[in-house]
Amino acid sequence: MGGMEMEQALHAARALVLADLMADKVADADIVSLVEDAVVHRRWWVEQWPEGAAFVAGLIAQDVQDALLDRYGRWPLCPVCTESGDPHALDVEPELGTDPHWVCPKTAVAVARVGRLGAPMEG
């Protein structure tokens, strides 16, 4: 994979994660900085393993989710289990694969593709 393709994959992944943060109205400057940090980290990762470029959207989403948990709390909260009184975050599945989705870890319901939080689920 050439440098241009790698950068395109990283920029596409960045845009998807930012779209999800904006859908949840949490894309303030501090949080966008977390996205930038994740992109820098994954740039190095893809340089080491170019075939992994197809996986960076899910990985960056997970990186940002982990960074948010450390600093701000769970994100994104599961919209499926709102009645349970036990708010929990969605997981990215597959953990290392193409076409990552946000999935409820309790019900296994796919809520949205990464980059499509807040949008109607596609069939």
Side-chain angles (χ1 to χ4, degrees):
M1 165 175 284
M4 183 62 80
E5 292 88 356
M6 180 186 73
E7 287 301 318
Q8 288 173 336
L10 289 165
H11 286 291
R14 177 186 181 275
L16 291 172
V17 174
L18 286 173
D20 285 344
L21 289 165
M22 287 189 288
D24 273 353
K25 297 175 178 49
V26 293
D28 66 28
D30 290 343
I31 293 173
V32 171
S33 292
L34 297 176
V35 177
E36 299 305 330
D37 292 345
V39 170
V40 167
H41 172 73
R42 291 300 172 178
R43 179 175 288 115
W44 177 87
W45 185 82
V46 175
E47 287 170 352
Q48 306 309 306
W49 187 44
E51 296 80 20
F55 309 138
V56 294
L59 292 170
I60 289 173
Q62 291 173 58
D63 293 345
V64 170
Q65 185 179 43
D66 291 346
L68 281 169
L69 181 60
D70 291 344
R71 296 182 189 188
Y72 300 102
R74 295 181 196 117
W75 175 84
L77 289 179
C78 178
V80 176
C81 301
T82 57
E83 305 299 315
S84 72
D86 179 26
H88 56 274
L90 298 171
D91 290 341
V92 175
E93 290 185 14
E95 284 189 32
L96 186 63
T98 58
D99 195 23
H101 282 70
W102 292 109
V103 176
C104 171
K106 294 187 177 196
T107 64
V109 170
V111 173
R113 283 187 166 101
V114 169
R116 303 281 299 157
L117 278 179
M121 188 66 181
E122 300 136 17

